[in-house]
Amino acid sequence: MQTITTVAELRRALAEVRSADKRVGLVPTMGYLHDGHLALVEASRTQCDVTVVSIFVNPTQFGPNEDLSTYPRDFLRDQELCRDAGVAIVFAPDIQEIYPAQFETFVEPGELAKPMCGAFRPGHFRGVATVVGKLFSMVQPDVAFFGQKDFQQCAVVRMAIDLNLPIEIVTVQTVREPDGLAMSSRNRYLSEEERRRALAISRGLFAAADKFRSGERDVEQLIAIAKERLNTVDRLQYLELVDADTLKPAESPLRRTAALCAAAYVGSTRLIDNVILSLPTPQRDSRLND
């Protein structure tokens, strides 16, 4: 495994890879890796010849009162996890490599960035879109892998399609702890008592998903089922059922795949989670071919 810190060195290394006609996968991360990140690595290794993991805590996606200075970091542990997982290249640039002096060009996302997290974290997705765009330019991967837990982020990075970038975007299912809590680097902030209360988020979402599978299609009813189980969080920031493609509020009765998304504070820690409510695909009657 190579650990690379500059764009110039990264491009030299990847030029050799591409000269051998190998498929490159990118897993963008902010480090402090966990099994959710490693699931992205495994997906990349399954679909690609060479996997690049970027590790960069991106300052432009943090607001003025958010946890940039305290965001968990353990680079040596991250390197070891990547090595054990079969990563070919860890790209770990410093801030000057990503945002050099006089940097002033940003990627401005569209309507997908406005609801949910976008409404509560002004500028967040501008920072996400910018750093992801820069990583796409630096690595030029064939495929990029993102986790479903960050559902709105997965929608925003579809900008690759808008910008005609020859990059396939793959979303990997949320990885959870055995008790259902979505894996997140921020889980380490939770005390033992807070972690127990945080389980209300996934349990509320799962309860609504169960009701959906039983046939419930009313949007308000599904939201209410989830919300009544969220009374142990300290502050529910949002709980929204949105169209999975447009992120606009879903309409009753549900006729399109939707995402039930939540953001809540437990103690001082902000956690997000979601479940996808997928409508069954109509089965084609084989007798039509008789």
Side-chain angles (χ1 to χ4, degrees):
M1 186 183 79
Q2 300 180 71
T3 297
I4 294 174
T5 59
T6 69
V7 176
E9 185 182 0
L10 177 69
R11 286 176 172 163
R12 284 194 295 270
L14 290 176
E16 296 179 12
V17 168
R18 292 193 178 89
S19 68
D21 200 27
K22 292 184 177 180
R23 187 170 167 87
V24 176
L26 169 65
V27 178
T29 83
M30 294 206 300
Y32 209 75
L33 304 183
H34 50 67
D35 284 349
H37 297 111
L38 298 181
L40 303 182
V41 170
E42 180 59 27
S44 176
R45 294 190 67 233
T46 299
Q47 299 183 38
C48 302
D49 302 300
V50 172
T51 294
V52 179
V53 171
S54 64
I55 297 177
F56 178 68
V57 181
N58 176 39
T60 65
Q61 70 188 68
F62 287 80
N65 298 313
E66 295 183 342
D67 58 341
L68 173 61
S69 63
T70 59
Y71 192 84
R73 294 165 170 85
D74 191 339
F75 184 65
L76 293 179
R77 173 179 170 274
D78 290 345
Q79 280 185 301
E80 193 64 30
L81 287 172
C82 286
R83 185 177 293 109
D84 291 345
V87 171
I89 296 173
V90 170
F91 178 48
D94 64 21
I95 190 168
Q96 293 300 319
E97 192 71 15
I98 302 295
Y99 299 113
Q102 310 304 316
F103 176 85
E104 59 180 26
T105 303
F106 288 84
V107 177
E108 195 67 52
E111 294 298 312
L112 293 171
K114 292 181 179 179
M116 298 191 295
C117 288
F120 291 94
R121 303 182 68 188
H124 169 68
F125 286 117
R126 180 178 188 249
V128 169
T130 298
V131 78
V132 169
K134 289 176 74 67
L135 289 169
F136 285 173
S137 175
M138 294 168 180
V139 179
Q140 298 179 13
D142 297 286
V143 193
F145 298 84
F146 296 86
Q148 182 195 305
K149 180 184 74 69
D150 298 294
F151 180 77
Q152 190 172 10
Q153 174 177 278
C154 292
V156 168
V157 299
R158 293 178 202 155
M159 66 181 189
I161 299 171
D162 292 348
L163 299 175
N164 300 106
L165 299 177
I167 300 171
E168 179 185 354
I169 305 297
V170 172
T171 300
V172 177
Q173 188 173 1
T174 301
V175 177
R176 298 181 180 277
E177 302 285 357
D179 56 12
L181 184 68
M183 288 191 175
S184 169
S185 299
R186 289 186 169 96
N187 288 350
R188 71 181 295 273
Y189 297 153
L190 299 170
S191 68
E192 186 175 340
E193 183 270 338
E194 288 170 342
R195 195 190 179 290
R196 284 196 298 270
R197 292 194 289 114
L199 292 174
I201 302 171
S202 57
R203 289 173 179 172
L205 297 177
F206 292 164
D210 286 343
K211 198 70 172 178
F212 173 81
R213 284 191 287 269
S214 298
E216 181 62 70
R217 295 295 183 267
D218 184 81
V219 169
E220 291 186 4
Q221 184 63 24
L222 290 167
I223 291 173
I225 290 166
K227 190 172 184 179
E228 69 181 354
R229 289 163 174 79
L230 287 167
N231 56 3
T232 63
V233 303
D234 291 299
R235 177 160 60 97
L236 179 61
Q237 193 172 70
Y238 67 75
L239 176 65
E240 297 188 29
L241 186 55
V242 299
D243 183 281
D245 291 324
T246 67
L247 304 194
K248 293 180 178 179
E251 297 180 355
S252 295
L254 285 178
R255 292 191 175 92
R256 290 168 52 86
T257 296
L260 182 58
C261 304
Y265 281 89
V266 182
S268 60
T269 304
R270 183 180 185 273
L271 301 172
I272 61 173
D273 200 354
N274 65 83
V275 291
I276 307 300
L277 306 183
S278 298
L279 292 167
T281 302
Q283 296 297 311
R284 189 171 184 271
D285 191 336
S286 62
R287 292 173 297 179
L288 295 175
N289 290 328
D290 292 345

